[in-house]
Amino acid sequence: MKSISVFGLGYVGAVTAVCFAHKGNRVVGVDLNPMKVNSLENGRAPIVEDKVEQMATEAHQSGRLNATSDANAAVNATDVSFICVGTPSQRNGKLDLNGVDRVCKDIGRALKQKKTFHWIVLRSTVLPGTTESVVIPALEAGSGKREGKDFAVCFHPEFLREGTAVADFFEPPFTIFGTRDEAQAESLRDLYTWSSSRFFITTPKSAEMVKYACNAFHALKVGFANEIGTICKELKLDTEIVAKIYVTDTRLNISPAYLKPGFAFGGSCLPKDLRALTYRAKELDLKLPLLESLIPSNQEHIERAVASVLHFRKRKVGMLGLSFKPSTDDLRESPLVHLAKRLLGEGCELQIWDESVALGRLIGSNRQFIEDEIPHIGSLLCEDASAVIRSSEIIVLGTKALDKKALSAQLSAEQGLIDLVNIEKENRCSDRLGYEGICW
Ligand SMILES: NC(=O)c1ccc[n+]([C@@H]2O[C@H](COP(=O)([O-])OP(=O)(O)OC[C@H]3O[C@@H](n4cnc5c(N)ncnc54)[C@H](O)[C@@H]3O)[C@@H](O)[C@H]2O)c1
C-alpha cells in the first residue's frame, strides 16, 4: 500500500481520496478551501455523490483518511501526490491553468525538503503538452530538483462521471499513464492491483489528448443522437425505435469502424444521403448544425490533402487509386476524384493508376460522373503502376490494393509519399522521411 496526498477536493479529488483510502492506502486530502478540509478531516464527504459519504466516514474512522491545508506536510508524509484541481474555461474558452500552476508551485516548494523519491500524478484535464511545458518546469523551478531523477510526473486522465463516480473509479474504461519514462511508470500500477481495467503506458502528450478525444467523442454522440431524434420527431417517427435499432449494429455503428484517421469519405451513398437528410431538415425549418457540418468538414479534409501535395513544391504527382474503394470501379463522388480535380486546378501534372478502373468499361452514372468531373480523365489514366511511380515526384497513395514489395522497389529517396489510406505500419513500403499522412 502507498501513502497518497490528493490536491483538490472537488469531485475528482474527493472520489480519488475516498476510493484509494477504501482500498487500504493511507490518504491525506489537501484543499485551499477550509470547509472542504474540515469536512474530510471530520470524516464527511466534501461533495454530494453516491457512496462517498459512507466510504469517507469508514476510511476516516479506520485512520486511513485525513485532510490538511498544509501542502508541505502532505507531500512530505506521502509517496505520491495526485493533482485534482479545477481547470475551468476562461471567458474566451481558453483553458485556465492558474490552479494547476499554483498547486505545482506549492508541491515544488514542499519537494525541496523531501529526501525520498516522489510521484506527482496529474488527473486534472489539460491540453496536450501541458504536463511537459507547464507542470514539470513549475515543479523543477519550485523544488530545484530534476524530474526523472528526484521525482517523476505522470499524466493520468480521469474518466469518472458525476452520479456514478465511485463505480467509474473502480471500473474505468481504461487506465492510462502518460510519462516520459515508461519503465518508471510500472511502479504506479501498484496503486491499482485490484483493477481489472486495461492499462496503457504512453507519452504525457498522447495521454492528455486521449482525454480530449474521449470527451469530444461523447459530446459528438450526444449531439448526433439529439439531431437524429429531432428530425425523427418532426417527421412524426418514434425516435426510440430508430435509435434502438441503429445502436444494435456493432459492426459499423457502435464499433471502431470509420474511426481510423485517414482520408475523406465519399462514394455513391454517404454524401448523397447526408445532403438529402439535411435538405429535408431545412424544408422542415430545422437547424441541425452537426449533420450540416459533415460535408464541409469532409471538403476541408480534401483541401488538407491538396495543401500537403503543394507543400512539396513539386508538380509531377502520381495518384495510386482513384475509385472510392479498392477492388471496385465506382468513381461516383470518390474523394480521390475531387482531389485529382483540385490538383489539376493547381497546375499539377497528374498520372493516375487504379487497377479496377478502365475507362472503356465504365458505364452509366459512373461514367457520367467522371466525364463531368474530369473530362480528359482518359489521358491521365495509366495501366502500369510502376510507370506512374517512376515518373512522379510525389506519390499520393489512395488505395491499399498495391503490393508493398512492388511499391518499395520503385520508390526513390527523393520522392515524397502521402499515404491517405493510413496503411498499417508493418505493411508500409517505407518509414523514411517524406512518408506521411494528412491527419496522422
Ligand atoms: N467533475 C468531473 O466529472 C470530472 C471528470 C473527469 C475529469 N475532470 C477534471 O478533473 C479536474 C477537477 O475537476 P473537479 O470537477 O473535481 O473540480 P472542482 O472545481 O470540483 O474542484 C477543484 C478543487 O481544487 C481545489 N484547489 C484549487 N487550487 C488548489 C490548490 N492549489 N491546492 C489545493 N486545492 C486546490 C479547489 O478549492 C476545489 O475544491 C478538472 O480538470 C476536470 O476537468 C472532472
Side-chain angles (χ1 to χ4, degrees):
M1 293 303 145
K2 290 209 183 295
S3 59
I4 300 166
S5 43
V6 176
F7 284 76
L9 296 172
Y11 265 89
V12 168
V15 171
T16 303
V18 166
C19 289
F20 274 130
H22 179 79
K23 286 291 179 192
N25 301 283
R26 224 166 39 73
V27 179
V28 51
V30 188
D31 205 292
L32 299 174
N33 184 334
M35 278 162 68
K36 295 197 179 192
V37 172
N38 278 341
S39 173
L40 203 60
E41 188 55 1
N42 289 303
R44 311 248 356 241
I47 55 161
V48 178
E49 174 70 35
D50 192 29
K51 299 194 180 77
V52 175
E53 180 79 22
Q54 192 196 339
M55 287 165 70
T57 307
E58 282 168 12
H60 180 69
Q61 281 170 355
S62 67
R64 290 193 306 274
L65 183 60
N66 291 94
T68 178
S69 49
D70 184 345
N72 195 26
V75 169
N76 280 285
T78 56
D79 312 311
V80 186
S81 294
F82 277 71
I83 298 179
C84 305
V85 301
T87 49
S89 286
Q90 292 180 359
R91 274 165 68 99
N92 58 6
K94 188 178 175 193
L95 196 67
D96 186 343
L97 289 176
N98 283 323
V100 171
D101 186 53
R102 176 166 177 185
V103 81
C104 288
K105 285 182 177 142
D106 294 345
I107 296 174
R109 274 192 296 276
L111 282 176
K112 246 184 187 165
Q113 295 149 33
K114 196 157 185 214
K115 300 274 183 289
T116 51
F117 192 82
H118 198 79
W119 267 106
I120 294 101
V121 177
L122 180 62
R123 293 229 94 176
S124 304
T125 303
V126 292
L127 286 163
T130 309
T131 300
E132 287 176 295
S133 66
V134 176
V135 173
I136 293 175
L139 288 164
E140 287 184 334
S143 63
K145 295 183 172 181
R146 291 278 310 282
E147 198 267 342
K149 184 171 166 277
D150 308 299
F151 66 93
V153 175
C154 169
F155 179 73
H156 178 40
E158 172 58 66
F159 295 98
L160 63 78
R161 294 161 298 170
E162 291 175 20
T164 53
V166 171
D168 289 345
F169 182 90
F170 289 130
E171 279 180 56
F174 29 57
T175 302
I176 309 175
F177 297 125
T179 65
R180 286 172 167 179
D181 184 338
E182 294 194 4
Q184 248 178 355
E186 285 293 335
S187 69
L188 285 176
R189 277 188 188 236
D190 295 349
L191 291 166
Y192 293 96
T193 46
W194 41 267
S195 173
S196 58
S197 96
R198 283 161 297 182
F199 280 82
F200 294 97
I201 300 182
T202 181
T203 62
K205 254 189 187 169
S206 298
E208 288 162 336
M209 191 61 209
V210 170
K211 176 65 189 170
Y212 280 95
C214 290
N215 276 356
F217 192 41
H218 300 166
L220 183 74
K221 286 172 79 171
V222 173
F224 175 82
N226 287 341
E227 288 198 1
I228 293 290
T230 300
I231 194 161
C232 285
K233 185 173 165 67
E234 204 60 26
L235 293 170
K236 310 228 175 327
L237 284 166
D238 188 333
T239 304
E240 296 273 320
I241 291 179
V242 175
K244 212 166 149 184
I245 296 174
Y246 74 65
V247 298
T248 60
D249 176 358
T250 52
R251 200 157 55 93
L252 298 183
N253 292 352
I254 313 299
S255 76
Y258 303 122
L259 284 173
K260 190 172 179 193
F263 194 39
F265 62 77
S268 59
C269 294
L270 263 51
K272 170 179 79 73
D273 296 349
L274 267 171
R275 277 194 299 266
L277 194 64
T278 50
Y279 189 85
R280 186 78 186 101
K282 273 192 200 123
E283 286 177 332
L284 295 165
D285 281 336
L286 296 176
K287 278 192 187 150
L288 304 180
L290 181 60
L291 294 176
E292 284 161 15
S293 72
L294 296 176
I295 297 235
S297 162
N298 206 44
Q299 275 160 350
E300 200 51 47
H301 205 54
I302 295 173
E303 285 307 309
R304 272 190 278 273
V306 174
S308 301
V309 173
L310 299 181
H311 185 72
F312 281 95
R313 298 192 177 281
K314 292 179 176 166
R315 302 237 80 79
K316 289 184 179 170
V317 181
M319 274 185 72
L320 304 174
L322 186 65
S323 66
F324 100 101
K325 268 193 191 151
S327 309
T328 80
D329 70 348
D330 197 352
L331 298 176
R332 287 171 300 169
E333 301 220 36
S334 166
L336 292 164
V337 172
H338 292 306
L339 175 61
K341 192 174 166 182
R342 281 286 290 110
L343 291 175
L344 288 168
E346 293 290 341
C348 294
E349 287 171 36
L350 207 57
Q351 271 205 300
I352 304 169
W353 170 86
D354 189 313
E355 65 168 358
S356 309
V357 177
L359 199 56
R361 289 207 307 269
L362 297 181
I363 50 171
S365 59
N366 199 14
R367 185 175 188 111
Q368 186 65 47
F369 173 77
I370 194 67
E371 281 177 353
D372 287 348
E373 290 297 310
I374 310 176
H376 60 299
I377 183 78
S379 64
L380 308 176
L381 281 171
C382 176
E383 283 181 17
D384 181 357
S386 305
V388 172
I389 297 168
R390 273 198 311 276
S391 60
S392 304
E393 294 167 311
I394 308 156
I395 307 294
V396 176
L397 192 60
T399 177
K400 291 186 178 179
L402 205 71
D403 179 36
K404 176 184 166 185
K405 265 194 201 152
L407 196 54
S408 6
Q410 305 291 338
L411 275 174
S412 74
E414 297 78 49
Q415 284 172 307
L417 192 149
I418 299 169
D419 172 358
L420 297 177
V421 280
N422 195 355
I423 289 182
E424 296 69 32
K425 276 203 176 101
E426 61 278 14
N427 290 330
R428 284 183 193 160
C429 58
S430 157
D431 54 5
R432 70 199 158 85
L433 225 65
Y435 187 113
E436 56 184 86
I438 55 171
C439 60
W440 53 267

